[in-house]
Amino acid sequence: MKKGWRVIIIIVLVAVLLGAVCLAVGYMTGAENSRILDTLDARYNINMWIDYFSLVYEQIALVFIS
């Protein structure tokens, strides 16, 4: 089981590294933050997920604060 988690962690780290490289190349070729966010939002509905997680965070905070 330990070896399986190690493989999963390696795959996740490689994916994050690849994403960072893609963003770095995008910045070097003149991309702007707004264009990257617009592209991601059109493809993956990033703003919807940001709104969802902020709503969930607010609800969790209300439960633990009350």
Side-chain angles (χ1 to χ4, degrees):
M1 189 67 180
K2 202 174 203 181
K3 189 173 184 178
W5 281 110
R6 184 179 304 251
V7 170
I8 291 172
I9 289 174
I10 289 172
I11 291 171
V12 168
L13 290 176
V14 167
V16 168
L17 181 65
L18 183 61
V21 168
C22 289
L23 279 176
V25 169
Y27 285 131
M28 284 190 272
T29 58
E32 300 171 357
N33 287 339
S34 61
R35 289 179 59 203
I36 292 173
L37 182 59
D38 289 341
T39 302
L40 289 174
D41 190 40
R43 175 82 172 159
Y44 301 110
N45 296 322
I46 296 294
N47 286 331
M48 179 194 68
W49 287 106
I50 291 171
D51 293 340
Y52 172 74
F53 285 122
S54 65
L55 181 66
V56 168
Y57 175 75
E58 289 173 7
Q59 295 297 321
I60 290 173
L62 285 174
V63 167
F64 286 116
I65 291 174
S66 298

